[in-house]
Amino acid sequence: MIVLRAIDAFNTAIGKAVSFLIWAGIVVLVWEVVARYVFGAPTLWAHGYTQRIFGAYFVLVGAYTLIRGDHVRVDLLLVNRGPRGRAMLDFINFGFLVLWGAVLSWEAFWFFEDAWRFNERDDSALRHPMWPIKLAMFAGVALITLQGVAEAIRSMILIVNPRADVGRPEMNKGVV
Amino acid sequence: APPAIAQGNTVWRMQTHWPTGNWYYDEVFVRFCNRITEATGGELTVEPHAPESIVPTGEVLNAVRRGLLESAFIYPAYWIGRVPAAGHLNGHIGAWDRHEEMDIFYYEMGGIEPIREAYAEQGVHQVGPISYSGLTLWANRPLRTAADLQGWPVRSTGAAGLVLARMGASPVSIPGGELYQALQTGVVDGAHWGSTATAWGMNFQEVCDFIIEPDLLGHLNGEVMVGTQAWNAVGEDIRAVVTEITRATSAEAAAHFLYRDIQFKQRFVEEFGGELVRLDDDALAQLRTASMAVVDEFSAQDPQYSGRLGEMLHDFMRQLGRS
Amino acid sequence: MTPEVLTIGMFGVLLSAILLGVSLTFALGGTAVIFGLAVFGPNGMFTIVSTMFGAMWSILLSAIPLFVFIGVALARSRIANDLYQAFYLWSGRTPGGLLLGTSGFAATLSAMTGSCAASTVTTGLVGMPAMDQRGYDRRFVLGTIGASGTLGILIPPSITLILIGMQTGQSVGRLFMGGLVAGLFLLATFLIYIAVRARLSPHLAPPADVRAPLRERIHALRSVVLPLVVILSVLVSIFAGIATPTEAAAVGAAAVILSVALRGEMSWAYIKAVSHDTASMTGMVIWIVFGASAFVAVYGGGGGTRFMQGLLLGMEVEPWMVIVLMQLITLVLGMFLDPIGIILLVLPIFFPIVTALGYDPIWFCILFQLNLCIGYISPPFGYNLFYLKSLSPDTPITEIYRAILPFLALMLATGAAIFLFPGIITSFTDVPVRR
Ligand code: NA
Ligand code: NA
């Protein structure tokens, strides 16, 4: 249980920190508009860094979204279900995530490794390294998979003992 | 290696970046695949695959390297971040005016060698270029002199963007999906998107007043690539067929695209009230100088391959009296 | 695996998973992995990671978090509430006034963004709390937001219309004009429906009890100024050629923050809350895009796309029936795929047939585009239905279906009207487009 709570805490902290990237994205894009329209001097980097900032943001908020129970589900079967039935459905849900996430993590690692090994740069005039964004991708998919494993374990415990305290405080605010 | 051909039918999936529904998708790309299949009597079957159908365009080189995709009919500029020499395969502003000049650089002067070595390092065999026509510059102001380019906001990227920046223009990056509107509302005052014929598919003719002549780059190249493993797995005779058909297709495609460009430029003037404007000789000379300076930048960053190619290109320009 | 088996298998597993309550994104991604392994083996998994990276790297998706940010930032400040209070006071004794305003707000957002996710989620974030507070019926509210949000891709700017132009060689200018006409037509039917229904059942959308004095109403107008500045900053940036739609979304986000600061509502707690909520809402939308990209890549790579195209080309029926069938297929695909996927899948097949039959190409494209919008809200699986679910997690999905049905009927009727009377579109688009 301590390990599960630690995973929650870790992913929540990462998610909250990453959530501030949106401000960087706003600043970069607004700066580009000002530089181009007011000073007539568009930057070579704004476009490329918008891609990098938002790309990292998209993938790294995945686990946090999961913790907040915001990956939307249809509740046709979820409502009016007892705790054990509910736990079984949750287990299937997280099973799909772990399956997808495990494959993504494995492939994303080699995807990153390739960019690192060949010192890949983007194909725009910017020509900055690609490995950081691909590393962010690996981190994002690995973290959501880790969270998925933690939730799957909790669901398993609940299938066995629906009254167990699995320390899942936020997941139950509303139907996930 | 053991002669894999004895096993009979090999299949190469070949992915392109050309959008389906364009005339050249069928007339050039699919026809190219079918020609190989027919010439080898089906011993090698080349399956044409639409853009993004197996992997996203930007990841094709990586997929071919890893053997997840056997081959591609695609555009070298996508890889300049991994293989800077691919910029030379694509073509540099002010370098080649037409297909034969590219052929001289590539086959007569031996430009193909360093390019193939650079690709081989990626686990990919570079079969050969596929000729397009030129790189057409579209504008909403009549550019005639080098001074007209000062501060000109133009949608550009890659090496062309660096050259235009050296000319004093302001290259802006805008994703393809927002480009039409950016030209319409004036976020940028110009753009390039391949030849006149390819930009036509982007509907630039509706939102631009001018085409600037001559083309920024008179001739540019696509390419055919095959994973080293897949390439080595077929016999020499098959490799020869693929290489020859690539070269023949390249010559044909050059004429195809050039002819279409001529027709589209005519339509631009007659149906869309557009105007063809010419850059003066001084501006062209300055563009060439700026372009070679960018080439030298690439040479400095990648001496092993781009450096050799850069020297060859300087030699080529001298021989043609352009430097 | 034959394409028939692949088609039945993939869609079957996807539907079953969704019905079992698997999150839409995990259902899409997990199904892609299962069938990717079956069709390509482990090598095929590269497709799944590389298409996901393609989505991450697409700058056009940046507009989504930016609009979500605008929605969250307005909703978390007092601006959204004050705006609705002003609507409320000025709509006086008219029932449904806030819903009319909400629908108009969604249409205005649609003129700023090319995405239904952005206009739906942002409208919901801003409008729902204020309407809850004033006793509006949740179902009526959800239906209005879900349906009005589909205008996002119909009213220009619209990435889908630009893509349709590229795929068909039609003038984007004319397509934009047609989209605008169809969008305004649709908006008008929504407004009429809301007004009539609210008049018939005022308890669903209660008006203010007493008419507020003019002084109070004038006073309330002051709170409209800042939201208006936000909206104008985005619209002016786009239409004066100052910024692309993505950049304009950032300008709008900056304008919201400036407004909040000017009202003295800025605090560290506010900044944290806005950032966290935006991240989670964005995660919901974007991870669905990730899942869909994997699903489509495996289905296409396994030959599913070509199979479906073959089926379509094999149809042999009356010309008008062909058009109807095409619309039905688009509707059904709209249940599973995003509009861009549908355009790439079927338009190259449909379009030559349509022109060969002699139909007006722009008219057909607009009808097709309208159907993409309808796909967003057609049960059981439309993206907007899922966005509504996440905006209102306590509402069962069946309630959301019921909420959307009248609006779905209106949209289908609008489609039928455009089908039967092409002049609605062609009289506006049969004009020379170049200046
Ligand atoms: Na729009
Ligand atoms: Na649907």
Side-chain angles (χ1 to χ4, degrees), chain C residues 66-85:
Chain C
L66 292 167
F67 273 98
V68 169
F69 180 93
I70 291 176
V72 172
L74 287 175
R76 283 253 174 201
S77 76
R78 302 270 315 153
I79 297 179
N81 193 52
D82 287 357
L83 179 67
Y84 270 81
Q85 184 61 23

Side-chain angles (χ1 to χ4, degrees), chain C residues 47-68:
Chain C
T47 300
I48 288 177
V49 76
S50 59
T51 47
M52 178 166 163
F53 185 76
M56 277 170 66
W57 198 237
S58 153
I59 196 165
L60 296 179
L61 286 182
S62 313
I64 289 173
L66 292 167
F67 273 98
V68 169

Side-chain angles (χ1 to χ4, degrees), chain C residues 27-47:
Chain C
L28 286 161
T31 307
V33 166
I34 295 168
F35 284 85
L37 286 171
V39 174
F40 314 113
N43 269 352
M45 297 298 99
F46 178 72
T47 300

